[in-house]
Structure formats: C-alpha cells, structure tokens
Amino acid sequence: MGAHTVYAIGECMIELQKHGEQDTLDYRFGGDTLNTAVYMARLLDPAVANVAYVTGLGTDGMSAEMLAAWEREGIATASVLRLPDRLPGIYMIETDPDGERRFHYWRRDSAARHWMAAPGAARVLAQLTEARMVYLSGISLAILSPPDRDLLIATLARCRAAGGKVVFDNNYRPRLWDSADTARDVYGRVLAHADIALLTLDDEVALYGPGDARDAIERTRTLGVGEVVVKCGGDPAVVWHDGTVHEVAPEPVQDVVDTTAAGDSFGAAYMAARLSGKGPEDAARAGHRLAGTVIRHRGAIIPRDAMPNSLHFRP
C-alpha cells in the first residue's frame, strides 16, 4: 500500500435490477467509484499500480459478500472500514427500451456516509496522503458531512503536495446535495487540488448552466487542473492537456442494452492508460473502447470474459 496504490473513494451499494418478464429482481453490487475500481483492477498491471477501495461497510452478511467480491476482482480491501451499526445502501435500476435508466435509492444512513468516523479512519487518511493516485467523484463527497468533506479535501491537498495525483469525476446528483451552490463550492475546492478532471457534459450543464465542452474545460482549467476530459455520451470526448484540445470520437455501438457505468468504465480505462504511460488521446480511445463494450451488457459490471481484448495494460 502507498506509493504504488491507486485509491478509489466512495460508496458501493446493493444494485437491484428487474429481470425478465416475471419482474423478479436480481442483485449485484455497484456504485460509481466501485465500478471504476473494478475495471481499473482488471486493466492495470500490478507492477504499475494496485487498486484499493476506501469506504464504509457494515458487519452484516451482505457487506461480507461485497468484500469477497471485490477481493476476487483483485481490489485491496484493507482500507474498507466496518461499522457494526450500519448497513450498505440499496438502489434499483429501471431501464427503458433505449437503454436509458432511472435510479431509485435507499441510502440515507448507509455505512459509507460514516466511514470517516470509523475506527481506523486516521490510518486510511494517512495512506491517502502517500498514494500514487487518489480517485473520487462528486458522489464520494456528497454523501459526507461538511466537516468530513473538509478533512478529505485537506487530505487530497497533502497527497498532491507529496507527489501523488488526484483525479476527480464530477458525477453530480442533485438529490444528494443541500443546494447547487454548495455543490459548486465543494467542486471548486476539490478541483483546486486535482491533476485530472473527468467531466460528464450533462452534469456540467446541470450544475453550471448551459454551455459546451470547451466552456467546461475553460472553467476547470482556470482552477489549476492540468488535464481535463469532457465525456459527451455518444459524441466525441474533448480532451485538454498541455494547452491543446483534442476531440476523440468513439466507435459506433449499435446494440446498446444498458448505459449503466458507461462513464465509470471510461474513466477506469482512461486512468489505467495514463498510469501505463499512454498519452491523453490514446487514453480517451481506451475509455471509449471499454465504455462501448460495457453498454452492450446489462448491469454495471460486465463478465470478465466480455472485456475487450484490445485493451492491453496487463502483461
């Protein structure tokens, strides 16, 4: 753990999804940063970096099942903090015929919201300051109390000062924030310590108002972020790095089944490629390639044997 570890911070929930015509429910585990952590662990050569997850879980059987599933994926779980009086959150996905989805949540008092109050939190925060990379999203921050957000942002600043990289994904969920003003303030404070911003254009518009990818880049780079990627759904991603803007188009995907985790998987492949020495344009192509595969399957995490063979970051 430490200098060669990528830490993803956030919340994994129990994902319920309707299956077949009988309206039965399947369950699996998902959450934006957890999805990204799984795909990164699948893609990265362990000689380059290991992937660890930071969150809170209960001591119940479902929490234990989550931990076992993550460990099978090669994710380190020593930074997962257990709270005996808390449980994981739950969400249900409804998917329309075009593959778009609606989410319903039961997460108001989940264990992940309280991980920074758990025994061992000081140890985990110290590990984050020594990390090679720390990845988090707007959801990672939204679920925390204001004092915990402040402490986490200070930890990110120390990580960057020590030579680690901070990557922030803007995943904006209005229902998790007291107000848009609060979210904008917190985002600005985090981006001031970020090396890479992974932005979804729809979330930028929802938070800041009408604008295009270049508006989002301009707003973000003025905060000191050196690398900005704007994900635009099926349109080309727009990448800004070293003063140059590139548009990177995805390959067409005809048979979309479920767009869950499209952005999460894009971010995973992008970060894995950058950690493996690829440039931003090649990293965006890798992101499109993985996301284009993920949306052809149901659920957030696709089977291992469905991973695209053309992504070669492992020996």
Side-chain angles (χ1 to χ4, degrees), residues 114-139:
H114 302 278
W115 73 265
M116 294 181 72
R123 168 184 57 83
V124 172
L125 291 170
Q127 290 172 342
L128 294 177
T129 65
E130 300 174 355
R132 179 170 184 176
M133 178 180 283
V134 176
Y135 165 73
L136 74 165
S137 75
I139 296 173

Side-chain angles (χ1 to χ4, degrees), residues 32 135-141 167-173 177 183 187 191 196-208 216 219-220 229-231:
D32 64 335
Y135 165 73
L136 74 165
S137 75
I139 296 173
S140 310
L141 294 161
V167 184
F168 179 65
D169 191 311
N170 70 337
N171 279 358
Y172 174 56
R173 301 295 180 265
W177 293 94
Y187 278 35
L191 287 165
I196 301 174
L198 298 172
L199 309 178
T200 298
L201 182 57
D202 286 347
D203 290 347
E204 287 291 290
V205 171
L207 187 55
Y208 297 102
R219 178 172 51 246
T220 304
V229 184
V230 185
K231 299 168 283 183

Side-chain angles (χ1 to χ4, degrees), residues 125-166:
L125 291 170
Q127 290 172 342
L128 294 177
T129 65
E130 300 174 355
R132 179 170 184 176
M133 178 180 283
V134 176
Y135 165 73
L136 74 165
S137 75
I139 296 173
S140 310
L141 294 161
I143 64 173
L144 298 177
S145 69
D148 285 350
R149 284 179 203 150
D150 293 343
L151 180 55
L152 182 55
I153 292 170
T155 301
L156 298 176
R158 288 195 290 272
C159 172
R160 194 183 193 194
K165 291 191 177 295
V166 175

Side-chain angles (χ1 to χ4, degrees), residues 192-279:
H193 303 297
D195 298 275
I196 301 174
L198 298 172
L199 309 178
T200 298
L201 182 57
D202 286 347
D203 290 347
E204 287 291 290
V205 171
L207 187 55
Y208 297 102
D212 60 17
R214 296 188 183 233
D215 294 324
I217 288 171
E218 182 65 21
R219 178 172 51 246
T220 304
R221 75 175 188 84
T222 58
L223 294 169
V225 183
E227 186 169 335
V228 184
V229 184
V230 185
K231 299 168 283 183
C232 303
D235 294 327
V238 184
V239 181
W240 179 83
H241 182 251
D242 284 342
T244 303
V245 174
H246 303 279
E247 293 191 4
V248 182
E251 297 178 3
V253 178
Q254 303 297 332
D255 49 347
V256 175
V257 174
D258 182 358
T259 57
T260 303
D264 306 335
S265 56
F266 180 102
Y270 188 92
M271 287 185 283
R274 295 294 280 133
L275 285 164
S276 301
K278 305 293 184 182

